[in-house]
Amino acid sequence: MDILIIDDELISRKKLLEILKPFGNCIEISQSSEAIDVFEHSVRTNKNFNLVTVDIHMPHPNGMILVGKFREIEKKFNVHPEKKTKIFMVTSLNDKDHVLESLKRGSNDYILKPFTAEQVLDRMKLHGLMK
């Protein structure tokens, strides 16, 4: 499994890395612009990520916009719906508007900080990323 972890906060990135690295190849990114380039390259070369985690509070663009850009890239390259990357928004924002906006932009799930390994793994199971 190929996993992209996007968060400008080092501690959150490292925590997700520790949880996810037993399940595949993980790449950590702290900047949105780099994340867009890496994601587009993966789609263009048919090596789509299986899972991307995105923090809402990313600088320029924020995580909401980033998720939308990822979905636009998949559309541009005609990614089959079954091959689309699972995207989990990871954030401390726990209000209905942010959850709904995240899902509307194309995230598959919403994980609240602080999170546990069990919560992340449960979401992975829910979305068919592990048994």
Side-chain angles (χ1 to χ4, degrees):
M1 178 179 336
D2 291 310
I3 303 166
L4 180 59
I5 300 167
I6 307 164
D7 198 318
D8 60 333
E9 184 181 285
L10 178 64
I11 293 172
S12 290
R13 266 196 336 270
K14 294 300 180 190
K15 184 175 178 183
L16 279 166
L17 178 65
E18 287 302 309
I19 294 167
L20 297 172
K21 73 180 178 181
F23 302 98
N25 178 44
C26 297
I27 297 173
E28 303 171 68
I29 295 181
S30 63
Q31 296 183 3
S32 294
S33 58
E34 182 184 0
I36 293 167
D37 292 341
V38 168
F39 187 87
E40 184 164 350
H41 177 75
S42 75
V43 173
R44 188 177 344 102
T45 59
N46 289 317
K47 295 177 182 166
N48 301 29
F49 286 98
N50 303 95
L51 173 63
V52 172
T53 65
V54 181
D55 177 33
I56 283 182
H57 290 297
M58 292 295 296
H60 312 297
N62 68 37
M64 292 286 195
I65 293 170
L66 203 52
V67 169
K69 287 188 180 293
F70 292 163
R71 295 308 186 200
E72 288 171 12
I73 290 167
E74 289 177 326
K75 186 176 181 178
K76 174 182 168 182
F77 288 96
N78 298 310
V79 174
H80 190 277
E82 291 179 14
K83 298 268 186 183
K84 286 187 177 181
T85 299
K86 300 294 184 196
I87 301 175
F88 296 172
M89 188 66 74
V90 182
T91 182
S92 58
L93 299 174
N94 185 21
D95 62 271
K96 181 180 172 183
D97 291 339
H98 281 99
V99 174
L100 292 175
E101 182 67 20
S102 172
L103 297 172
K104 177 182 165 190
R105 290 192 183 244
S107 68
N108 298 94
D109 217 320
Y110 198 91
I111 298 174
L112 289 174
K113 291 180 183 179
F115 51 84
T116 65
E118 184 179 356
Q119 289 170 317
V120 174
L121 299 179
D122 283 348
R123 298 291 167 61
M124 289 176 65
K125 289 175 190 170
L126 179 69
H127 292 280
L129 294 170
M130 60 182 282
K131 293 182 180 182

